[in-house]
Amino acid sequence: MDASIPETMAAWVVSADRPGGLERAELPVPVPAPGELLVRVRTCGVCRTDLHVRDHDLLPHRDRVVPGHEAVGDVVATGSEVTGFEVGALIGIPWLRGTCGACPYCTRGRENLCLSSVHTGWDADGGYAEYATVPADYAYEMPAGYSAEELAPLLCAGIIGYRALRRADLPTGGRLGIYGFGASGHLTAQLALAQGATVHVLTRSPAAQALARELGAASAHDARTGPPEPLDSAILFAPEGALVLVALEALASGGTLAIAGIHLSDIPPLDYQRHLFRERTVRSVTANTRQDGRAFLSAAAEHRPRPTLSPYDFAHADTALDDLAAGRVHGVAVLRMPGP
């Protein structure tokens, strides 16, 4: 590799035998495999999934993994088999890192359901580090007109919100309820509004309610208060299973609820007449395909959703996760990496 690339780097790691801990570490700079890119990370978004990895809500897949799957940075080296990417290119490192390409899910265009899929920041080291690798086939070219910090949350919060919006089957000009208004929620709301939807936001945070109104939501209330009109579609971003019943009860006949979290607390018993009758539908959202990512980034280039950022210095990644867990993050947290 280039002599300007150091041998070691600063990183944060999660211990497989100690839930809740994020530790500083000095690690070797990874060497890209033949099909991989080596990226000097400029910034990395702080996602609730990182919190689930840290706290072992998602069972550890490897010890001392570097979390982070919303990394944006510059290609500094390429593997011997890489084509289409040059040193110096600005790229994004997402959650989906690899699939088998041969199973029925992959061959039917549903690679997000591949049972052999691997993920950045869970199965392989991610972006809470000065350098990271990514298979070139799973890296994204990023749209122009955004700063690196603004691009980072598009890689998961944006893409997952886009898939959730599709899964919610929102009719043209329909009424959408968004339960939970963090990183994904506030980006999805902007995309839905740009497409002509009426958006109602359901969140307990006064700051999030104010942001929702500022972005153009027709209403913003506590989830238990409910929206002012029946919903055609709803998306649940908050990881609270009890809200499934609340959201279903708010749906109009034929409405669809998409549950977008990778982790959800237990759902209480449903009452068929109150929650499901009249052809209400519940759908889960599992990761995303690369086509989802490309489609969302194209939509972002057209509609220009803007993340509301809460930046943290890289040295305070542990504080960023603690603040996310406590509901103290406004919009989306991003880590500012040390300079080269």
Side-chain angles (χ1 to χ4, degrees):
M1 291 194 297
D2 190 315
S4 66
I5 300 171
E7 294 184 359
T8 63
M9 65 180 183
W12 290 88
V13 298
V14 172
S15 173
D17 58 10
R18 188 170 69 86
L22 192 66
E23 304 170 12
R24 282 295 295 266
E26 189 77 13
L27 301 178
V29 170
V31 176
E36 292 183 343
L37 310 171
L38 176 64
V39 176
R40 180 184 289 119
V41 178
R42 291 194 195 183
T43 185
C44 187
V46 178
C47 178
R48 188 163 291 275
T49 302
D50 303 334
L51 195 60
H52 294 319
V53 170
R54 185 199 72 172
D55 294 346
H56 294 191
D57 296 324
L58 298 177
L59 295 179
H61 280 190
R62 51 169 288 199
D63 190 25
R64 295 181 65 77
V65 70
V66 176
H69 55 275
E70 295 180 330
V72 175
D74 305 295
V75 176
V76 293
T78 62
S80 59
E81 297 176 2
V82 170
T83 59
F85 288 94
E86 301 292 338
V87 170
L90 181 70
I91 62 104
I93 301 177
W95 172 245
L96 186 65
R97 185 182 178 89
T99 54
C100 74
C103 71
Y105 298 115
C106 287
T107 57
R108 294 171 188 164
R110 305 186 72 183
E111 65 181 3
N112 60 306
L113 301 179
C114 176
L115 297 179
S116 300
S117 61
V118 292
H119 302 94
T120 307
W122 193 19
D123 299 288
D125 287 342
Y128 285 30
E130 293 179 289
Y131 291 84
T133 61
V134 59
D137 288 345
Y138 291 82
Y140 289 117
E141 297 181 13
M142 304 306 290
Y146 288 93
S147 69
E149 290 178 358
E150 290 174 320
L151 288 169
L154 303 186
L155 289 164
C156 181
I159 294 172
I160 288 298
Y162 174 82
R163 184 170 183 87
L165 188 58
R166 289 181 53 220
R167 295 282 290 165
D169 203 17
L170 179 67
T172 301
R175 301 158 297 181
L176 173 68
I178 295 179
Y179 289 79
F181 205 65
S184 279
H186 86 293
L187 288 169
T188 306
Q190 293 177 68
L191 192 59
L193 287 164
Q195 295 172 352
T198 299
V199 174
H200 299 286
V201 170
L202 295 309
T203 177
R204 65 185 176 214
S205 165
Q209 291 174 11
L211 176 60
R213 296 187 189 100
E214 178 184 328
L215 293 174
S219 73
H221 301 289
D222 185 274
R224 267 73 182 186
T225 300
E229 60 181 337
L231 304 172
D232 298 303
S233 303
I235 303 173
L236 176 59
F237 289 112
E240 185 178 343
L243 290 179
V244 171
L245 277 62
V246 174
L248 283 171
E249 199 164 359
L251 289 177
S253 297
T256 299
L257 168 64
I259 302 173
I262 192 172
H263 173 79
L264 189 71
S265 62
D266 290 344
I267 301 172
L270 297 170
D271 180 293
Y272 179 69
Q273 295 293 329
R274 288 176 58 193
H275 302 123
L276 287 178
F277 191 56
R278 297 195 60 78
E279 300 194 351
R280 298 182 183 99
T281 301
V282 183
R283 290 176 167 176
S284 66
V285 178
T286 300
N288 61 274
T289 67
R290 283 172 285 178
Q291 180 54 36
D292 290 327
R294 289 188 287 266
F296 169 70
L297 292 173
S298 177
E302 177 183 359
H303 298 299
R304 316 305 296 178
R306 290 284 177 182
T308 296
L309 301 178
S310 292
Y312 290 77
D313 287 340
F314 174 70
H316 302 302
D318 52 349
T319 302
L321 279 180
D322 287 342
D323 286 350
L324 181 62
R328 293 189 292 263
V329 172
H330 184 57
V332 55
V334 293
L335 300 182
R336 289 173 166 164
M337 308 303 293

